[in-house]
Amino acid sequence: MSESFPKIALLGNPNAGKSSLFNLLTGLSQKIGNFAGVTVDKKVGTFKATTQEEFEILDLPGTYSIYPKSFDEKVVFDVLTDTKNIDYPDYLLVVADASNLRRNLLLFSQLADLEFPILLVLTMNDVALANGQSVNEEKLGQLLGVRVIKINSRTNEGIDQLKTSIQHKEFKVPNKLYDYKFVAPEIVESIPQIVPNANGYKALLLAHHFESMSTLSSLQKSEIQQLLDKVEFNSKTKQARETIKRYEAINTIVDEVIISLNKTKAQNYTDLLDKIFTHKIGGYLSFLIILFLVFQAIFSWASYPMDLIDKAIGLLTGLINQTFGSGPLVRLVTEGLISGLGGVLIFVPQIALLFLFIAVLEESGYMARVMFIMDKIMRQFGMSGRSIVPLVSGVACAVPAIMATRNIDSTKDRLITIFVTPLISCSARIPVFTVLIAMIVPSKLIFGIFNLQGLALMGCYTMGFLAALFTAFVLKKILKTSETSYFIMELPSYKLPRVKNIWYTIVEKVKTFVLDAGKVIIAISVVLWVLASYGPGDALQKAELEAINQAQSSQITYTDLQLLIESKKLEASYAGQFGKFIEPSIRPMGFDWKIGIALITSFAAREVFVGTMSTIYSIGQGEENNDTIIKKMKAEIRSGTNKPMYDLPLSLSLLVFYTFAMQCMSTLAVTYRETKNVTWPLLQLVYMTGLAYVSSTIIYQLLS
Amino acid sequence: MSNSNKSLAQLKEGETGTIEGFNNEKLSLKLLEMGCLPGCEVRMKYKAPLGDPVCVCVCGYDLSLRLDEAAVIQLKNKKIS
């Protein structure tokens, strides 16, 4: 057999259980790609019926109808209406929620009119049963003219039957449910003369959407426009009429196939839980409690695997150094490549944990309620209820948070959310904040319970949060969009999350991060390493000699000498030179060239600031060194004066800088990955760093 | 008899109405797709803590929508029940 297997596209309403079915059929063979020209993710997997027979399964975004209302839905339209599209399927597997059959059959009826061979899968039969209803699938199959299979992805009921049916290709072109031609007979007849192959229902769809279709020539478009003008085609009225007529046809069918079980409705947990989760006080309170538990878990659990990754990278580096010595090439591998890889892997535990919780909350149906109670607040700032998940996740790490903006269907809302999320203080800022706060704020209790340093830390978080809201508010005014932002969404009934779905979500998110953002991070790490390890000409050797000479005049130990050499070398490196070069421009903020070096190296990740400071001040890298750094930095004298360098103005200025500045290449990489556009990460970099620069300068100049 | 039609946004929690039509064509398309059809019964289930968005029961499931979206849905004048 040839390389190309029959292509099956998986379609259905959102929340109908499409992803569960996709996971069941394809397992870990899933691959994530892109649909041509758009940022929508494309998930493809392989279903192995036998060792010889395989099917390629394409998971299309959930949609309520073939008439696109968002970019996700546009993809569905594009794939199904263009026979030349590389994703054009041979068969359709349509998933419908049995507890909500009417609404789910709308999409089916449209797909039927496109004359695809279809197999219909009914999910949520247990939910329907709990509502006292059952669907007669035989009857439904007869009326629709397709094979109907009931499944339960929790118990795997019906899955084997479905697999056999797919293997035997039991896909059938459904019966005509209603006559779409009556909507606009002239159109259906004339369009095929303008666009060959656009027969039947496709002709009608073309009349509605030709303007946004890239497959049509401008001549074809103008011809269609002329035709529409001639028959006074009103797209909206026609669409509304079509939908109403379709529902009429569907209602007759549904009335025949639904069996009422005449039993009292089972206790409705959804209504009960909604009383709590959407309550005026209870709603917000339960959200805060859940948030608190999630962050506790992330901060306490993620540190173990993160330490392990750190140790493993250290071990690997040591092993390579022992085996191959420490030549320049080896150092490039260990200190550039491998430490860059470590910088990527270190995020994995946080990403995995965060998406574990997001997936659980989403699968259970709770997330929709959070969006529901937060929507009005978020709307004031140009976002929607859907932005709440990324913003809150940003407290842990902006990288998974930005990846979580996928479910925001309005492009404008999504871009604003991506843009402002890095302003929310993430966990990588904590080490920097801790050192700087310790320098200016005494560790004292006020009112007997509040730790002063803790309050200062909270201040930094508040500052970031306010900046995010302010920025969003400004962007809301600037950004223009033709897309309407809807909040018309289903509030799904509460369900127990499925372990398998959660696992696949985690694997997918981690894979996307490591493969896509990872490349950028490693590349920048290598560049930064080169900058910090090499200098112009023999500058580094000179620096080493100078350190040795200096050491001879004052008796110091061997370890201290090594630290002194490292410090002098860093000063002489390109990074050091660059730090000195930018000193004039960072002086308004009160920074000197030493901080300049730290700014450059900590562009990789904010927490590197502390490490670089220890190198500059010749302190051995390692744990329990915070106190030493703080002591050394406190003792530093501003050159040309006899005042301490790290006084209140400078420390505050640095704190503000690290709160606002875009000192994180991983975030930039992931913004690029999610927007598929260099402009957004660049704007983010310029805006955040600019905001940091201006704020720090004002603070320093006012206070000093 | 009231002279102006009630919209879905004006229903109080627990109240029911019958959809008559829409006063915004673009939004009506989305609402129709979601099963808000003329003649369908719709019940205001509950409102978000700040009064907006609201959750209604229509076509046998729970739908959330903003107040200005709900205001698009016109209800039939109810006889006193």
Side-chain angles (χ1 to χ4, degrees):
Chain A
M1 230 191 102
S2 74
E3 274 287 318
S4 80
F5 303 113
K7 283 183 183 161
I8 302 176
L10 197 56
L11 281 134
N13 285 186
N15 300 314
K18 210 166 51 67
S19 343
S20 302
L21 181 58
F22 182 66
N23 290 340
L24 274 170
L25 289 177
T26 63
L28 278 173
S29 74
Q30 304 175 11
K31 281 194 185 64
I32 303 149
N34 287 309
F35 288 105
V38 282
T39 57
V40 180
D41 268 330
K42 173 169 110 180
K43 284 208 278 184
V44 184
T46 315
F47 165 59
K48 279 197 164 83
T50 62
T51 41
Q52 263 95 53
E53 282 173 288
E54 288 185 12
F55 293 86
E56 190 187 295
I57 301 198
L58 169 68
D59 187 20
L60 285 170
T63 177
Y64 292 105
S65 113
I66 189 99
Y67 290 103
K69 303 275 185 298
S70 70
F71 287 108
D72 268 21
E73 294 180 356
K74 178 84 169 42
V75 164
V76 177
F77 177 83
D78 287 346
V79 168
L80 296 183
T81 52
D82 176 16
T83 44
K84 290 197 194 73
N85 192 302
I86 51 158
D87 294 312
Y88 188 80
D90 302 302
Y91 307 106
L92 302 186
L93 199 57
V94 179
V95 182
D97 174 351
S99 70
N100 199 341
L101 198 57
R102 275 169 231 273
R103 204 199 59 210
N104 278 260
L105 284 183
L106 176 70
L107 178 68
F108 175 88
S109 82
Q110 295 174 325
L111 299 171
D113 286 339
L114 282 173
E115 296 174 5
F116 277 104
I118 297 179
L119 202 155
L120 182 62
V121 180
L122 287 184
T123 57
M124 314 280 170
N125 298 287
D126 44 347
V127 181
L129 218 57
N131 292 340
Q133 287 185 329
S134 172
V135 177
N136 180 341
E137 77 258 42
E138 300 263 325
K139 190 85 186 262
L140 182 64
Q142 275 171 24
L143 292 171
L144 298 177
V146 294
R147 181 127 167 73
V148 181
I149 296 172
K150 278 187 182 176
I151 63 158
N152 183 333
S153 47
R154 221 177 278 276
T155 57
N156 280 359
E157 226 176 289
I159 297 294
D160 286 336
Q161 198 193 351
L162 174 65
K163 287 182 174 171
T164 324
S165 293
I166 295 177
Q167 188 193 342
H168 296 148
K169 298 183 184 159
E170 292 172 8
F171 297 88
K172 282 188 217 136
V173 178
N175 301 335
K176 285 272 165 294
L177 286 187
Y178 99 117
D179 190 11
Y180 54 82
K181 282 199 195 86
F182 89 96
V183 179
E186 316 88 332
I187 300 287
V188 177
E189 243 161 61
S190 312
I191 293 248
Q193 291 158 24
I194 304 171
V195 186
N197 302 324
N199 302 315
Y201 187 48
K202 217 185 274 180
L204 195 60
L205 287 179
L206 232 66
H208 287 296
H209 298 293
F210 68 97
E211 277 164 333
S212 63
M213 289 177 70
S214 54
T215 46
L216 299 179
S217 71
S218 49
L219 179 70
Q220 282 173 323
K221 284 184 185 176
S222 73
E223 276 178 350
I224 295 176
Q225 188 61 58
Q226 277 168 17
L227 175 69
L228 298 188
D229 290 344
K230 205 174 82 190
V231 299
E232 289 174 2
F233 182 85
N234 182 328
S235 173
K236 292 198 179 84
T237 319
K238 298 280 187 200
Q239 250 188 70
R241 203 153 157 230
E242 187 193 323
T243 309
I244 292 171
K245 287 287 171 193
R246 279 189 192 278
Y247 267 116
E248 276 173 15
I250 290 165
N251 278 340
T252 356
I253 291 177
V254 170
D255 287 344
E256 277 190 65
V257 298
I258 293 236
I259 309 158
S260 284
L261 297 173
N262 268 345
K263 78 172 191 188
T264 42
K265 261 193 172 185
Q267 168 97 38
N268 196 330
Y269 287 102
T270 296
D271 286 348
L272 205 69
L273 286 172
D274 273 344
K275 282 221 167 66
I276 306 167
F277 290 139
T278 65
H279 185 265
K280 282 181 177 54
I281 302 158
Y284 295 113
L285 196 67
S286 45
F287 180 44
L288 275 179
I289 294 172
I290 289 172
L291 271 187
F292 177 76
L293 294 176
V294 167
F295 284 119
Q296 280 297 313
I298 290 178
F299 283 121
S300 53
W301 295 349
S303 59
Y304 298 107
M306 282 164 86
D307 287 347
L308 265 175
I309 292 170
D310 236 12
K311 288 214 175 80
I313 293 287
L315 226 68
L316 183 66
T317 311
L319 205 69
I320 293 176
N321 280 341
Q322 267 178 19
T323 328
F324 300 102
S326 57
L329 199 66
V330 178
R331 287 187 58 203
L332 172 72
V333 171
T334 54
E335 289 167 30
L337 273 177
I338 295 184
S339 85
L341 184 71
V344 174
L345 292 181
I346 205 83
F347 281 106
V348 169
Q350 280 193 356
I351 292 178
L353 275 172
L354 193 66
F355 277 103
L356 166 75
F357 291 112
I358 290 182
V360 169
L361 296 179
E362 211 148 318
E363 278 255 316
S364 65
Y366 175 70
M367 211 59 111
R369 273 71 186 181
V370 175
M371 297 170 188
F372 182 73
I373 63 171
M374 295 302 288
D375 182 63
K376 193 173 183 189
I377 304 170
M378 302 310 291
R379 237 188 304 162
Q380 316 302 318
F381 302 100
M383 294 179 275
S384 83
R386 294 187 177 90
S387 312
I388 198 69
V389 179
L391 286 185
V392 163
S393 313
V395 179
C397 177
V399 172
I402 288 174
M403 288 162 70
T405 57
R406 292 278 173 78
N407 62 357
I408 306 177
D409 46 13
S410 145
T411 318
K412 180 178 166 180
D413 292 7
R414 179 160 182 249
L415 281 176
I416 294 182
T417 312
I418 290 179
F419 197 86
V420 304
T421 295
L423 282 165
I424 305 280
S425 282
C426 63
S427 57
R429 286 172 173 98
I430 294 176
V432 186
F433 286 165
T434 322
V435 167
L436 290 172
I437 288 176
M439 211 109 64
I440 44 173
V441 182
S443 176
K444 260 200 322 215
L445 289 186
I446 53 167
F447 305 126
I449 41 168
F450 300 113
N451 183 304
L452 212 54
Q453 291 187 337
L455 283 180
L457 187 64
M458 213 176 90
C460 292
Y461 274 82
T462 315
M463 206 156 57
F465 183 67
L466 292 179
L469 288 187
F470 166 77
T471 309
F473 187 75
V474 173
L475 279 175
K476 175 191 168 189
K477 304 276 177 209
I478 298 172
L479 283 179
K480 294 274 171 281
T481 175
S482 55
E483 237 187 353
T484 333
S485 149
Y486 294 108
F487 201 69
I488 304 175
M489 64 169 201
E490 185 179 353
L491 287 175
S493 52
Y494 291 96
K495 295 177 194 79
L496 270 180
R498 262 152 294 187
V499 177
K500 207 168 187 176
N501 287 352
I502 292 163
W503 171 243
Y504 284 125
T505 307
I506 296 173
V507 171
E508 181 200 320
K509 296 292 173 184
V510 169
K511 235 161 91 178
T512 316
F513 172 72
V514 172
L515 296 181
D516 289 357
K519 281 183 280 195
V520 182
I521 299 173
I522 291 182
I524 299 182
S525 299
V526 171
V527 171
L528 286 177
W529 174 79
V530 171
L531 287 180
S533 326
Y534 291 91
D538 58 351
L540 258 56
Q541 284 91 317
K542 275 192 192 148
E544 195 171 345
L545 280 176
E546 194 195 326
I548 293 168
N549 285 337
Q550 202 180 322
Q552 273 165 353
S553 51
S554 57
Q555 295 280 313
I556 58 170
T557 63
Y558 178 74
T559 346
D560 283 347
L561 173 64
Q562 290 307 315
L563 292 172
L564 188 65
I565 292 174
E566 283 301 312
S567 154
K568 290 282 176 198
K569 271 182 161 174
L570 181 59
E571 187 185 337
S573 70
Y574 287 113
Q577 305 279 335
F578 196 64
K580 282 179 182 159
F581 173 73
I582 62 169
E583 195 183 48
S585 63
I586 56 177
R587 200 170 284 140
M589 296 187 283
F591 299 177
D592 63 357
W593 64 267
K594 293 182 183 173
I595 299 175
I597 298 179
L599 292 188
I600 295 159
T601 54
S602 71
F603 177 68
R606 294 177 178 92
E607 64 272 24
V608 175
F609 173 81
V610 181
T612 306
M613 280 317 215
S614 11
T615 311
I616 295 173
Y617 290 110
S618 313
I619 306 157
Q621 299 253 13
E623 289 147 45
E624 317 301 331
N625 265 337
N626 265 4
D627 290 343
T628 334
I629 299 169
I630 294 167
K631 235 183 262 164
K632 282 258 188 180
M633 282 167 71
K634 270 187 174 167
E636 177 84 353
I637 300 293
R638 185 172 283 278
S639 59
T641 64
N642 54 5
K643 286 184 198 137
M645 170 80 189
Y646 291 92
D647 50 3
L648 185 72
L650 173 63
S651 303
L652 270 182
S653 159
L654 258 176
L655 262 183
V656 170
F657 188 87
Y658 272 92
T659 304
F660 293 148
M662 171 48 100
Q663 292 285 103
C664 178
M665 59 180 178
S666 315
T667 303
L668 290 174
V670 91
T671 298
Y672 171 66
R673 153 88 182 104
E674 292 299 319
T675 59
K676 306 265 158 72
N677 189 333
V678 204
T679 323
W680 285 103
L682 277 179
L683 269 178
Q684 226 171 17
L685 175 66
V686 170
Y687 171 75
M688 289 178 64
T689 309
L691 180 69
Y693 187 84
V694 172
S695 319
S696 292
T697 306
I698 292 174
I699 287 199
Y700 185 75
Q701 297 301 336
L702 279 182
L703 292 179
S704 64
Chain B
M1 266 201 29
S2 72
N3 41 9
S4 69
N5 269 2
K6 234 184 176 182
S7 85
L8 176 59
Q10 287 161 288
L11 286 191
K12 294 198 178 71
E13 287 182 36
E15 283 185 338
T16 312
T18 308
I19 299 176
E20 186 170 70
F22 310 92
N23 64 15
N24 174 319
E25 213 172 24
K26 194 171 179 195
L27 272 176
S28 78
L29 295 179
K30 177 75 184 168
L31 290 164
L32 283 170
E33 270 177 28
M34 299 298 283
C36 301
L37 299 160
C40 261
E41 200 164 80
V42 48
R43 184 160 57 91
M44 177 67 71
K45 281 189 85 172
Y46 50 83
K47 299 182 174 181
L50 300 169
D52 183 14
V54 297
C55 171
V56 299
C57 182
V58 66
C59 198
Y61 75 100
D62 289 352
L63 179 73
S64 130
L65 66 177
R66 290 176 181 155
L67 272 186
D68 49 3
E69 291 157 350
V72 164
I73 301 180
Q74 302 293 304
L75 302 177
K76 281 188 182 148
N77 279 325
K78 245 208 283 197
K79 294 150 210 120
I80 291 131
S81 53

